[in-house]
Amino acid sequence: MYKRILVPTDFSKNALNAVRYALDLYAKLNCEFYFLNVFKLENYTTDALIIPEPGSQEFEIAKAKSEENFVKLLDMLALHHDNPKHIYHTIPTFTFLSAAIKKTISNKDINLVVMGTKGASGAKEVIFGSNTVKTMEIVSECPVLAIPADIRFSPPKEIVFPTDFKSGFKRKELNYLIEIAKMHGSTIRILHVSKKQILKPEQEENKILLDNILDEVAHSFHSLTEKNIADSITTFVESRDSDMIAFINQRHFFFEKIFTKPLIKEIGYDATVPILALH
């Protein structure tokens, strides 16, 4: 059975880097990759009263340019990433990125979304503050993997999994984390950051549950007594030279704390490892 992976791209260097990372991460699995490009029309803005229609000159020129870039991308992949386990599809479209991603996930039964953390402009405000975080917010059907700019793939030997143990865990929501760990022989480091070291009884129960779910992969538990969650995670990852951060996207706790604007800069702009948002 093929895993279906969606990779939005604007054909920038950073988007290409995300493509390469995804191909290498899942090199051992049968996968169908769907490359999605939301093309732009030079003279069209969201304030325009008339939306360009398919068949109009401006629309067809923009679509043709998108398709031309897809040809170049596939030629490059054929040259450098010729993997018989992988099948490639291209989707050029004119709409909002979030809508295009949601539609493709639904229509193609996508299992995972992989995105670069910078757009073609490279501007800081569109790294984690815009498209990537928005995708993590709106996509609840599957995990989202964000790849920092310029990072080169190496098998993830250590994956940091921050949690507060306040919510229960389900094996299904951790499947992708376990799958990646199995594929690459990764060790999962569960990190608890809190002002207090002592866990409440329900937290202890959830910790035991997580221990049982992860019994088939190498894992260990760690704790830090700190006020700033983002700083603690960053310090932990950097001190251990970890390869990835994975977390369960629970908006009421971790997501809001990590991806509020002050913390985006700390973990997003200066990210040195991929971040996997699980659901």
Side-chain angles (χ1 to χ4, degrees), residues 36-46 48 50-54 56 58-60 62-63 66 91-97 99-100 103:
L36 171 69
N37 173 243
V38 176
F39 57 83
K40 298 179 180 179
L41 278 61
E42 292 184 6
N43 297 323
Y44 172 74
T45 67
T46 53
I50 301 175
I51 300 175
E53 295 287 340
S56 67
E58 189 177 9
F59 184 98
E60 295 304 325
K63 183 181 178 182
S66 175
I91 305 174
T93 186
F94 175 68
T95 183
F96 293 105
L97 177 62
K103 181 178 179 180

Side-chain angles (χ1 to χ4, degrees), residues 3 5 61-62 100 109 119 136 156 161 180 189 200 232 256 263 268:
K3 183 175 293 296
I5 300 174
I61 289 174
D109 193 23
M136 287 179 172
F161 181 72
I180 291 172
R189 307 295 185 190
K200 295 179 180 179
S232 301
E256 288 182 355
L263 301 184

Side-chain angles (χ1 to χ4, degrees), residues 14-248:
N14 297 300
L16 177 59
N17 190 55
V19 170
R20 287 171 170 160
Y21 192 98
L23 297 180
D24 289 336
L25 184 67
Y26 286 96
K28 299 176 183 177
L29 293 189
N30 292 324
C31 298
E32 288 190 71
F33 287 89
Y34 291 85
F35 302 120
L36 171 69
N37 173 243
V38 176
F39 57 83
K40 298 179 180 179
L41 278 61
E42 292 184 6
N43 297 323
Y44 172 74
T45 67
T46 53
D47 295 328
L49 296 177
I50 301 175
I51 300 175
E53 295 287 340
S56 67
Q57 183 179 13
E58 189 177 9
F59 184 98
E60 295 304 325
I61 289 174
K63 183 181 178 182
K65 185 176 180 181
S66 175
E67 292 173 341
E68 181 182 333
N69 284 325
F70 271 135
V71 171
K72 294 177 182 177
L73 173 62
L74 294 181
D75 285 345
M76 186 279 296
L77 297 183
L79 190 62
H80 299 289
H81 291 272
D82 186 17
N83 188 336
K85 292 180 176 289
H86 292 170
I87 299 172
Y88 304 137
H89 306 275
T90 61
I91 305 174
T93 186
F94 175 68
T95 183
F96 293 105
L97 177 62
S98 55
I101 289 173
K102 293 282 281 186
K103 181 178 179 180
T104 306
I105 289 172
S106 176
N107 290 350
K108 305 299 182 183
D109 193 23
I110 295 297
N111 303 120
L112 173 71
V113 177
V114 181
M115 294 184 71
T117 58
K118 280 187 180 179
S121 67
K124 281 198 169 186
E125 63 270 15
V126 298
I127 299 177
F128 263 76
S130 182
N131 290 338
T132 310
V133 165
K134 187 173 183 180
T135 300
M136 287 179 172
E137 287 176 335
I138 66 166
V139 173
S140 58
E141 299 87 348
C142 65
V144 178
L145 178 62
I147 311 299
D150 301 323
I151 191 171
R152 291 293 173 263
F153 176 81
S154 61
K157 295 304 178 187
E158 183 168 291
I159 304 171
V160 176
F161 181 72
T163 177
D164 61 359
F165 296 119
K166 290 182 179 179
S167 298
F169 299 97
K170 297 179 182 177
R171 191 174 298 272
K172 186 172 77 170
E173 65 191 6
L174 293 167
N175 276 346
Y176 278 82
L177 177 60
I178 294 171
E179 180 181 73
I180 291 172
K182 283 184 173 180
M183 279 192 299
H184 300 286
S186 314
T187 299
I188 299 172
R189 307 295 185 190
I190 299 105
L191 176 63
H192 177 235
V193 181
S194 176
K195 296 177 184 178
K196 299 179 181 179
Q197 286 289 354
I198 300 175
L199 297 179
K200 295 179 180 179
E202 61 266 27
Q203 288 177 298
E204 287 286 0
E205 290 179 7
N206 290 329
K207 182 179 178 179
I208 293 171
L209 175 60
L210 180 60
D211 191 27
N212 291 333
I213 292 175
L214 298 177
D215 64 350
E216 53 192 317
V217 296
H219 64 280
S220 59
F221 291 89
H222 306 262
S223 60
L224 291 175
T225 307
E226 299 286 347
K227 292 182 179 180
N228 190 301
I229 296 177
D231 281 345
S232 301
I233 295 170
T234 301
T235 300
F236 186 83
V237 168
E238 290 179 350
S239 66
R240 301 181 60 89
D241 199 22
S242 304
D243 304 292
M244 184 180 290
I245 299 171
F247 69 94
I248 295 176

